mmCIF file of all heavy atoms in Angstrom:
data_model
loop_
_atom_site.group_PDB
_atom_site.id
_atom_site.type_symbol
_atom_site.label_atom_id
_atom_site.label_comp_id
_atom_site.label_asym_id
_atom_site.label_seq_id
_atom_site.Cartn_x
_atom_site.Cartn_y
_atom_site.Cartn_z
ATOM 1 N N MET A 100 11.511 9.711 -2.477
ATOM 2 C CA MET A 100 10.218 9.248 -2.899
ATOM 3 C C MET A 100 9.627 10.279 -3.843
ATOM 4 O O MET A 100 9.695 11.456 -3.611
ATOM 5 C CB MET A 100 9.311 9.045 -1.682
ATOM 6 C CG MET A 100 7.931 8.687 -2.080
ATOM 7 S SD MET A 100 6.745 8.212 -0.790
ATOM 8 C CE MET A 100 7.300 8.937 0.688
ATOM 9 N N LYS A 132 -11.454 -14.185 12.834
ATOM 10 C CA LYS A 132 -12.718 -14.494 13.489
ATOM 11 C C LYS A 132 -12.899 -13.621 14.729
ATOM 12 O O LYS A 132 -11.928 -13.151 15.312
ATOM 13 C CB LYS A 132 -12.752 -15.962 13.889
ATOM 14 C CG LYS A 132 -12.677 -16.923 12.723
ATOM 15 C CD LYS A 132 -12.423 -18.338 13.220
ATOM 16 C CE LYS A 132 -11.997 -19.255 12.113
ATOM 17 N NZ LYS A 132 -10.703 -18.935 11.521
ATOM 18 N N GLU A 135 -10.452 -13.013 18.037
ATOM 19 C CA GLU A 135 -9.028 -13.276 17.794
ATOM 20 C C GLU A 135 -8.189 -12.016 18.023
ATOM 21 O O GLU A 135 -8.682 -10.893 17.920
ATOM 22 C CB GLU A 135 -8.806 -13.783 16.370
ATOM 23 C CG GLU A 135 -9.277 -15.208 16.169
ATOM 24 C CD GLU A 135 -8.857 -15.792 14.842
ATOM 25 O OE1 GLU A 135 -9.056 -15.139 13.799
ATOM 26 O OE2 GLU A 135 -8.336 -16.920 14.842
ATOM 27 N N VAL A 137 -5.214 -9.834 16.614
ATOM 28 C CA VAL A 137 -4.546 -9.566 15.345
ATOM 29 C C VAL A 137 -3.493 -8.489 15.567
ATOM 30 O O VAL A 137 -3.816 -7.374 15.978
ATOM 31 C CB VAL A 137 -5.554 -9.096 14.271
ATOM 32 C CG1 VAL A 137 -4.845 -8.815 12.953
ATOM 33 C CG2 VAL A 137 -6.663 -10.125 14.090
ATOM 34 N N ALA A 181 12.395 -6.301 20.588
ATOM 35 C CA ALA A 181 11.876 -7.360 21.468
ATOM 36 C C ALA A 181 10.375 -7.277 21.736
ATOM 37 O O ALA A 181 9.691 -8.309 21.697
ATOM 38 C CB ALA A 181 12.663 -7.364 22.775
ATOM 39 N N TRP A 193 -1.143 -12.289 12.204
ATOM 40 C CA TRP A 193 -0.141 -11.225 12.100
ATOM 41 C C TRP A 193 -0.152 -10.708 10.665
ATOM 42 O O TRP A 193 0.078 -11.465 9.720
ATOM 43 C CB TRP A 193 1.225 -11.765 12.472
ATOM 44 C CG TRP A 193 2.385 -10.860 12.317
ATOM 45 C CD1 TRP A 193 2.389 -9.507 12.103
ATOM 46 C CD2 TRP A 193 3.765 -11.237 12.379
ATOM 47 N NE1 TRP A 193 3.679 -9.027 12.029
ATOM 48 C CE2 TRP A 193 4.542 -10.074 12.198
ATOM 49 C CE3 TRP A 193 4.413 -12.456 12.560
ATOM 50 C CZ2 TRP A 193 5.931 -10.090 12.187
ATOM 51 C CZ3 TRP A 193 5.790 -12.471 12.561
ATOM 52 C CH2 TRP A 193 6.542 -11.300 12.379
ATOM 53 N N TYR A 217 -0.015 -15.758 9.176
ATOM 54 C CA TYR A 217 0.862 -14.626 8.850
ATOM 55 C C TYR A 217 0.766 -14.261 7.380
ATOM 56 O O TYR A 217 0.635 -15.138 6.520
ATOM 57 C CB TYR A 217 2.304 -15.011 9.180
ATOM 58 C CG TYR A 217 3.364 -14.087 8.636
ATOM 59 C CD1 TYR A 217 3.707 -12.925 9.308
ATOM 60 C CD2 TYR A 217 4.034 -14.391 7.455
ATOM 61 C CE1 TYR A 217 4.688 -12.079 8.815
ATOM 62 C CE2 TYR A 217 5.017 -13.554 6.956
ATOM 63 C CZ TYR A 217 5.335 -12.401 7.636
ATOM 64 O OH TYR A 217 6.304 -11.561 7.152
#
Side-chain angles (χ1 to χ4, degrees):
M100 175 173 24
K132 297 168 195 66
E135 287 190 311
V137 180
W193 175 13
Y217 167 83

